[in-house]
Amino acid sequence: MSRLRQPPLVTGISPNEGIPWTKVIIRGENLGTGPTDLIGLTICGHNCLLTAEWMSASKIVCRVGQAKNDKGDIIVTTKSGGRGTSTVSFKLLKPEKIGILDQSAVWVDEMNYYDMRTDRNKGIPPLSLRPANPLGIDIEKSKFPQKDLEMLFPGMSADFTSENFSAAWYLIENHSTTSFEQLKMAVTNLKRQANKKSEGSLAYVKGGLSTFFEAQDALSAIHQKLEADGTEKVEGSMTQKLENVLNRASNTADTLFQEVLGRKDKADSTRNALNVLQRFKFLFNLPLNIERNIQKGDYDVVINDYEKAKSLFGKTEVQVFKKYYAEVETRIETLRELLLDKLLETPSTLHDQKRYIRYLSDLHAPGDPAWQCIGAQHRWILQLMHSCKEGYIQDLKGTPGLHSPMLDLDSDTRPLVLGHLSQTASLKRGSSFQSGRDDTWRYKTPHRVAFVEKLTKLVLSQLPNFWKLWISYVNGSLFSETAEKSGQIERSKNVRQRQNDFKKMIQEVMQCLVKLIRGALLPLSIPECGVRQYGGWEVKSELSGQWLAHVIQTIRLTYESLTALEIPNDMLQTIQDLILDLRVRCVMVTLQHTAEEIKRLAEKEDWIVDNEGLTSLPCQFEQCIIHSLQSLKGVVECKPGEASVFQQPKTQEEVCQLSINIMQIFIYCLEQLSTKPDADVDTTHLSVDVSSPDLFGSIHEDFSLTSEQRLLIVLSNCCYLERHTFLNIAEHFEKHNFQGIEKITQVSMASLKELDQRLFENYIELKADPIVGSLEPGIYAGYFDWKDCLPPTGVRNYLKEALVNIIAVHAEVFTISKELVPRVLAKVVEAVSEELSRLMQCVSSFSKNGALQARLEICALRDTVAVHLTPESKSSFKQALEALPQLSSGADKKLLEELLNKFKSSMHLQLTCFQAASSTMMKT
């Protein structure tokens, strides 16, 4: 919708220069339709809206503030016209102290003035009555720059009446070119002035002693003359005789003209009565006029008439005037009571409150109506806050209370003193969780979150006007010019007394806000005595971390808005403490919720293995933790003035323990998955990984997993967690400024390695024990005897069967994870070699053929699995060979070599897996 009025245009300002807090009159065009239409006024870049008084569309009165710029434009902003322009500028002057004998181009106010910056009344100090030239010699002003002097004498002053007076500065400024002889004369003058002051009034009396004697002689002569005249004359003194003559003349005159004078007096009295009626009809009609104007609401007219009557008849001795003036006072007292009732009525706009206070000030109402209004407004805000809590609690219980007009703040037409900050805050608040809000959103939002939003909105809508009312009370803008001059001293005393009282009011509002929010979100932080007043939320479930983060953002924006009002930080410290407690609680709840989610990850295991032998579980675990940490990013980050979440050692320990708990829960999930019975594994959702068609070659037929395969999958996941996932999570913890990361990593790694070792030993036991157990029966099958055996013709079947079983283990492990093959086969080979060494050492003696047969089989096994030999297995093979007799002839060695080659050739296909592993290890 387009604006209906043109932008404001400032065409004149009077005066166009002055010191800070100078009262100016701004004239121009389209300066607003009323006080509520005026939303912005800056002079030289300083916001002067607090002191602005809208008079008409072409006139505004305000006071210039402490602007940084020396010269600037006057910019007026209105709702109807927007931001305006200016054709004139204002020049800000630095205040200078001017003595009563100094020449000045502007009028110097000699009355007491009110200093807004220090909240103290300052009058003209007695020292300012001293002469402007204390040295008594000619002053020669220097051209030394004032800024250089201020830098040369920091914190000092050239004013000899100041406490920080610097004599050197004074001499440089006023006598930089004065000769030394003149300065010596100045010293003599100063000594002479000091001597005159020491002599005092006694010297003054000595100088006029002859005058006193002459006056005394004259008075004595007059007294003697009058006494001599009274004693010589029998008839009395001269004055007595003169009085008697005058009395006789007066009696004779009254006798002659008594009748004529009587008629004349009667005519005069009638004429005077008519003149009085005509002349003072204003007073006689005033009581009726006051009643009529009160009914119309023309309080200004009533006040003007009352001031006029008071000045004319306030001290009259005429009974008629007294009678009618008493009637006027009665009507005015009724008006005072009416205005006071309207002033204390809530809700009320700030403009109306200021208007009623000015009226009561002009009517000289008893007491302090402005302070009564501040107290009523304070009680009203507290009542609103408690009513808001009761309304939400009743709604939560399912018994909504009656709609209270106190809580309907959407219709409040008062402009907030938050400027663009409050608008930005509301936009940010809406964009976080309330984007796309519809009518059902309020039912999705938890009651306690909605309560906090409503409560903060309520405080932000009421507190700015409350604070602005106090500022107006302090600087005197609540009162009219007449009342300001007459009651300035008394009000200044009240302000000093009320400052502590108002500070307690603000602190009470802040404490009430914080305690209500604590009662809703942190009930354990409220003492038992305050639970009934601030608590009462019968909710079993706790808010999630996301809602707590949203509440923290809401309270942070509230804090920024209150800071923009220039409320002292010590009054807002309780809000900072609340934010810190909520941030700590949000971190704890989020980590606890993350632990619950980690517990449910085992249900999401699909057992689909990728090329690296991993399932999606480690990735899901890492993403779950990263998502939780990202949700805490805004909570953990410190805004200006906020303390770190981890500043308390207790908090650090709890967060560290929760983080360790999350890791251990996941490790426990892996253990449960590895030990779950076959019947409990849901394999109906298994599918083939198209990127690895060779994997699960033997599994895809019946879509079932054995316990050994699950062990291998979990072992593969454990290896990946140790090498990548846990390290990535530690980096994310460090990125989000978590404490105790080393402890978290060490404990988690220790638990993971313990599980890995335990699962690995279980798998080796499952696979190695059958192979080892089959060696001895296989060796002595068919009543084989090492002492009496035929010449060897090749490797016997028991060893081939053992190799086939090892190849089966290789195939099973390779199917799951290539990286686990060396580790598993090395352990299996160690077990087989150890058993073979034991069996060889248990043989008492070998025949030539038996020794050759044993050596053939040991060498065949050793050469086949050479890739997976470890120092332990090599030692076992060495011990087994050392237990055999040495080959004595070259024919035996040749036969051994031929049989080994024959074995390797015949089982080339089966042994290919070991060769592939060898080439792979050589490449790596």
Side-chain angles (χ1 to χ4, degrees), residues 674-913:
S674 66
T675 59
K676 182 180 289 188
D678 295 343
D680 295 341
V681 179
D682 183 13
T683 58
T684 57
H685 61 281
L686 292 177
S687 61
V688 180
D689 188 353
V690 295
S691 64
S692 55
D694 294 334
L695 304 183
F696 285 121
S698 62
I699 300 176
H700 294 156
E701 296 177 0
D702 53 1
F703 291 95
S704 62
L705 287 175
T706 64
S707 59
E708 292 87 350
Q709 289 171 334
R710 290 202 306 275
L711 272 174
L712 286 173
I713 292 174
V714 174
L715 277 172
S716 178
N717 286 340
C718 287
C719 293
Y720 183 81
L721 288 170
E722 182 180 354
R723 292 195 307 269
H724 298 92
T725 305
F726 278 14
L727 298 179
N728 294 341
I729 291 174
E731 291 180 0
H732 283 284
F733 276 135
E734 185 175 3
K735 180 180 178 181
H736 289 82
N737 299 322
F738 273 59
Q739 304 295 320
I741 300 174
E742 293 183 1
K743 181 180 178 181
I744 297 172
T745 306
Q746 290 176 358
V747 175
S748 303
M749 286 291 188
S751 300
L752 182 64
K753 289 179 180 179
E754 181 183 353
L755 174 64
D756 177 83
Q757 186 63 28
R758 191 164 62 251
L759 296 180
F760 180 73
E761 291 175 355
N762 292 340
Y763 182 78
I764 295 300
E765 183 179 353
L766 290 173
K767 292 300 179 181
D769 286 356
I771 299 175
V772 171
S774 66
L775 288 178
E776 186 172 1
I779 289 176
Y780 296 104
Y783 303 100
F784 179 82
D785 188 2
W786 295 107
K787 298 178 182 180
D788 183 16
C789 61
L790 299 174
T793 58
V795 176
R796 289 186 292 168
N797 289 334
Y798 84 91
L799 188 62
K800 294 179 180 179
E801 183 182 352
L803 284 173
V804 169
N805 290 333
I806 295 175
I807 292 171
V809 174
H810 180 284
E812 185 179 59
V813 176
F814 187 85
T815 303
I816 302 299
S817 174
K818 300 176 184 179
E819 297 181 358
L820 286 176
V821 171
R823 182 183 177 190
V824 173
L825 288 189
K827 276 294 181 182
V828 174
V829 170
E830 280 184 12
V832 172
S833 63
E834 183 180 353
E835 178 65 15
L836 195 58
S837 174
R838 184 187 69 80
L839 292 174
M840 292 300 104
Q841 292 176 3
C842 290
V843 178
S844 59
S845 63
F846 292 88
S847 64
K848 177 181 178 182
N849 292 336
L852 186 60
Q853 182 71 42
R855 188 174 294 276
L856 171 64
E857 292 171 351
I858 293 173
C859 290
L861 179 60
R862 183 192 63 186
D863 295 344
T864 302
V865 298
V867 177
H868 301 291
L869 291 179
T870 63
E872 289 78 7
S873 57
K874 288 180 181 179
S875 176
S876 298
F877 279 119
K878 183 178 179 182
Q879 292 174 3
L881 291 174
E882 289 176 350
L884 301 176
Q886 299 294 326
L887 295 178
S888 58
S889 63
D892 294 339
K893 295 181 180 178
K894 184 177 180 181
L895 177 61
L896 177 63
E897 184 175 354
E898 290 176 356
L899 292 175
L900 280 174
N901 291 333
K902 179 182 176 182
F903 166 73
K904 294 178 181 179
S905 176
S906 63
M907 294 194 68
H908 174 73
L909 180 62
Q910 288 82 355
L911 303 180
T912 306
C913 62

Side-chain angles (χ1 to χ4, degrees), residues 87 244 255 302 340 344 351 366 425 509 523 567 597 635:
T87 61
N244 294 335
T255 303
V302 175
L340 185 60
L344 302 181
H351 174 70
V509 172
I567 298 178
E597 289 184 354
V635 176

Side-chain angles (χ1 to χ4, degrees), residues 388-401 434 440-456 516-517 519-521 536-544 547 550-551:
C388 179
K389 185 206 76 168
E390 295 299 331
Y392 274 92
I393 289 181
Q394 291 179 3
D395 189 26
L396 180 63
K397 294 179 180 179
T399 56
Q434 304 177 15
T440 62
W441 191 89
R442 66 179 62 188
Y443 302 107
K444 299 176 184 177
T445 307
H447 279 76
R448 289 174 291 171
V449 177
F451 161 69
V452 173
E453 290 184 345
K454 187 72 173 180
L455 185 66
T456 54
L516 287 173
I517 296 177
L521 304 179
W537 296 85
E538 299 177 359
V539 282
K540 299 179 180 179
S541 61
E542 191 169 11
L543 290 178
S544 64
W547 283 117
H550 173 63
V551 169

